[in-house]
Amino acid sequence: MKRIGLLGGMSWESSLEYYRLLNEAVKERLGSLNSADCVMVSIDFQPVADMMKLNNWKGIARVLEDVSRDLKRAGADFLVICTNTMHLLVREIEDASGLKVLQIGEAVAERITAAGLKTVGLLGTRFTMERSYYRDTLGRHGIEVIVPQERDRESVDRIIFQELCRGIFTEESRESYRSIISKLQSEGASGVVLGCTEIPLLIKQSDVEIPVFDTTAIHAAAAVEFALADN
């Protein structure tokens, strides 16, 4: 089994889900008392969130580059960034660590393609929704991405940082997300990517009519497949 290096803490709420999902998947695959061979660095998210507000991506890159090198020294064979937004810095992290980053967007694209969908809505932080990572990654697989209108993007982003990253899950916010997903559906989305690893803690498939792509679960499953390949 390859050792999985986890860049966590952004937020710890979803990093906890990664750890659970990885171990459950390994147990399911290998049985007995088998569990995931993994090492995690869980960073303090507040300084990173502050830099995000200032659009200081060079500062964030330095933090994650240092973390990636720590994971390599700890014996990681490849890296998993336990957050969608920080995939904006995939190249910097790979260059700094010399390790492969198993990309969340590629794993999600494979699932969408397998489902036969060509147009999906995207929810996430405003950086994830407004920058090109998902649009470019899914676009290479022939998948079109639709994002909410500006006011709805602000609402999605606010709920993530003020509630979900703090472990707060309300019915009001669930209904807000359901309404936004419904609008995306009316604009042509035949599925929706929950492109923030905290959103699946609030929104489940049973909450909406169209297929939901839980990026946390998809990414964790892909990490286990990669870790167990050729074994």
Side-chain angles (χ1 to χ4, degrees), residues 44-118:
D44 181 5
F45 191 32
Q46 185 64 62
V48 171
D50 291 341
M51 285 188 280
M52 290 171 71
K53 291 177 184 177
L54 297 173
N55 213 28
N56 181 10
W57 289 92
K58 288 185 178 179
I60 297 171
R62 286 193 292 271
V63 171
L64 298 186
E65 287 166 5
D66 286 345
V67 168
S68 70
R69 286 188 282 261
D70 288 342
L71 289 168
K72 184 176 185 179
R73 286 191 288 268
D77 293 305
F78 68 101
L79 300 179
V80 170
I81 307 171
C82 302
T83 165
N84 282 270
T85 299
M86 296 310 159
H87 279 74
L88 297 171
L89 299 170
V90 162
R91 296 295 170 239
E92 290 87 342
I93 291 168
E94 285 189 331
D95 289 346
S97 66
L99 295 174
K100 173 184 176 63
V101 171
L102 193 71
Q103 291 196 40
I104 198 167
E106 291 292 342
V108 170
E110 290 180 10
R111 287 292 187 93
I112 295 171
T113 299
L117 306 185
K118 291 295 184 181

Side-chain angles (χ1 to χ4, degrees), residues 71 94 96 105 133 137 144 161 166 198 201-202 210 221 225:
L71 289 168
E94 285 189 331
Y133 175 75
T137 304
E144 181 184 358
F161 283 102
R166 303 180 185 193
E198 283 79 27
L201 300 173
L202 179 70
I210 56 177
E225 287 294 324

